[in-house]
Amino acid sequence: MSDGSDDGMVLDIKTADIKASAPVFHEQANNLSKALTTLVTTLDNLGKPWGDDKQGKEFGDVYSPQQKKIESSAGILVLGLTSIHEALVDLSDGHVDNDDLIAGMFTKVKPPKGNADSEGSR
């Protein structure tokens, strides 16, 4: 956020940057979800493809008891990436709305014609 120079800027949020970042999280959530589905269905169909040799048994002894936890953790990551995507979309929308609101506060409003309080009737 800061390179050491004090330019007086506290936070510089660019809506375009937020909008550009949001789809990346959506895409990666989809990619991870597909990879998880492939892992689960492939291993379920193959049984124990790591074999009965020493390395295969060592891997199976460690992996098999943790398999459901690994799958669940990857699922949580998918949900996390999806949440970040949704939050960035909401943040972007809110930032634009806030900018419009603030701009409206500083826009000079002209009184309606014929109003006794207008400058033209003084």
Side-chain angles (χ1 to χ4, degrees), residues 9-113:
M9 177 128 354
V10 176
L11 185 59
D12 183 22
I13 299 174
K14 292 184 176 40
T15 306
D17 292 342
I18 297 170
K19 286 184 178 192
S21 298
V24 173
F25 286 93
H26 179 70
E27 179 182 343
Q28 296 308 320
N30 285 338
N31 290 342
L32 182 56
S33 180
K34 288 175 190 173
L36 177 59
T37 300
T38 301
L39 174 69
V40 171
T41 57
T42 302
L43 288 180
D44 285 349
N45 290 335
L46 294 175
K48 297 181 179 180
W50 38 85
D52 289 330
D53 63 354
K54 183 178 186 244
Q55 282 183 315
K57 286 181 182 180
E58 288 174 358
F59 175 81
D61 289 345
V62 174
Y63 179 76
S64 293
Q66 301 298 320
Q67 182 178 358
K68 294 300 176 196
K69 287 182 182 177
I70 292 168
E71 293 168 2
S72 176
S73 297
I76 291 169
L77 290 173
V78 170
L79 293 175
L81 290 170
T82 301
S83 296
I84 292 170
H85 166 256
E86 292 171 357
L88 288 174
V89 169
D90 289 347
L91 177 64
S92 172
D93 291 345
H95 192 63
V96 169
D97 292 344
N98 191 48
D99 282 351
D100 291 345
L101 178 65
I102 291 170
M105 289 179 189
F106 294 101
T107 302
K108 187 172 184 177
V109 177
K110 295 180 182 175
K113 292 191 183 225

Side-chain angles (χ1 to χ4, degrees), residues 1-11:
M1 295 215 4
S2 177
D3 60 1
S5 63
D6 185 12
D7 60 2
M9 177 128 354
V10 176
L11 185 59

